[in-house]
Amino acid sequence: MSHINLITIDGPSGSGKGTVCHILAKKLNWNLLDSGALYRILAFAALQEKISLDDQEKLAKLALNLQVSFKSNGTGVDTLLAGENVGDKLRTESVGQAASQIASLQAVREALLARQKAFRQLPGLIADGRDMGTVVFPDAPVKIFLDASAEERALRRFNQLQDKGFDVSVAQILSEIKERDYRDRNRVVAPLRPADDALVIDSTSLTIDEVVNKVLELAAKKLT
């Protein structure tokens, strides 16, 4: 599997990972793994089934039986759960908070690890997440850590949710982002951090195209 080209892009919520990864996957015609969506899907399913977010045994069992797939729709990627497109339902802050909470559980991460690794298929993979370069694909030849200020990420999230019709406030989102950042960066299992050999990109004042070009420049140097 190590011969299959791979770019990992890690970073906090709102840093632009999802958009950058979709553009890269489309430009390179590679497979795409939205690992955060896996955790959001599990969180969504757990909330639907009223499973406690600290019940590792039930969550791990649920994770192993989720029917998940990603399908390109031309402008983005549909996230399918048992054949139903649940993409919009996964973007709420309640699901995001729940996903961050269960992502700190060892049993859950182990249950999803093999499923994430299986996405590495020819001709290549763009892996979007928080521990893609540090835990899931430590042998990746190209590793990116995409960051941005909490304030900028909150504004981006506010605009995104408003466009979808959600009634939210920037202050509320900023508070939730800071809380999630602290939990993600300080959790014992797979904390959010750049891999030692990752290129760190601060997207606060960069356009999406500028970020994409930086990633492609690095990939051109490191991939055969």
Side-chain angles (χ1 to χ4, degrees):
M1 294 291 285
S2 61
H3 66 283
I4 298 176
N5 281 329
L6 172 63
I7 298 174
T8 62
I9 302 186
D10 292 316
S13 176
S15 59
K17 300 191 312 295
T19 303
V20 169
C21 286
H22 167 64
I23 292 173
L24 287 169
K26 189 173 182 180
K27 280 181 175 290
L28 298 171
N29 196 29
W30 287 7
N31 299 298
L32 174 65
L33 165 60
D34 181 351
S35 66
L38 291 180
Y39 287 97
R40 284 177 177 267
I41 288 171
L42 179 57
F44 173 74
L47 292 172
Q48 291 290 102
E49 298 188 21
K50 295 181 169 42
I51 295 176
S52 172
L53 297 180
D54 58 7
D55 189 330
Q56 296 204 47
E57 183 177 349
K58 287 186 178 180
L59 288 169
K61 183 178 180 180
L62 181 61
L64 290 171
N65 290 284
L66 288 175
Q67 299 176 40
V68 181
S69 61
F70 300 107
K71 183 179 180 182
S72 176
N73 60 22
T75 59
V77 177
D78 291 333
T79 303
L80 306 177
L81 174 60
E84 178 189 355
N85 185 2
V86 295
D88 286 345
K89 297 177 181 178
L90 303 181
R91 306 316 300 180
T92 65
E93 286 304 308
S94 61
V95 171
Q97 290 290 334
S100 178
Q101 184 174 337
I102 65 174
S104 66
L105 303 177
Q106 181 68 38
V108 169
R109 302 196 76 85
E110 290 177 356
L112 291 177
L113 183 60
R115 179 165 289 186
Q116 293 175 85
K117 287 180 176 293
F119 277 85
R120 190 173 188 176
Q121 299 178 11
L122 291 171
L125 174 66
I126 307 294
D128 166 0
R130 284 174 169 75
D131 64 349
M132 295 295 96
T134 54
V135 176
V136 182
F137 301 109
D139 65 330
V142 179
K143 299 174 185 175
I144 305 294
F145 188 87
L146 188 59
D147 209 346
S149 70
E151 291 74 16
E152 174 63 20
R153 289 185 284 127
L155 183 58
R156 293 173 183 174
R157 191 81 179 117
F158 171 77
N159 291 331
Q160 182 184 50
L161 290 173
Q162 269 214 324
D163 287 344
K164 293 181 179 295
F166 291 103
D167 183 18
V168 292
S169 73
V170 174
Q172 176 191 353
I173 294 173
L174 179 59
S175 175
E176 291 170 345
I177 280 179
K178 288 182 176 179
E179 179 183 338
R180 190 184 310 173
D181 282 354
Y182 180 84
R183 182 165 59 243
D184 289 348
R185 294 178 190 272
N186 291 280
R187 66 191 180 206
V188 175
V189 180
L192 173 64
R193 65 173 182 82
D196 292 338
D197 55 345
L199 171 65
V200 178
I201 300 176
D202 186 334
S203 70
T204 301
S205 58
L206 297 177
T207 66
I208 290 295
D209 286 342
E210 287 172 331
V211 174
V212 168
N213 288 336
K214 283 180 178 289
V215 177
L216 289 175
E217 287 172 9
L218 181 63
K221 294 177 183 177
K222 292 202 169 189
L223 298 178
T224 56

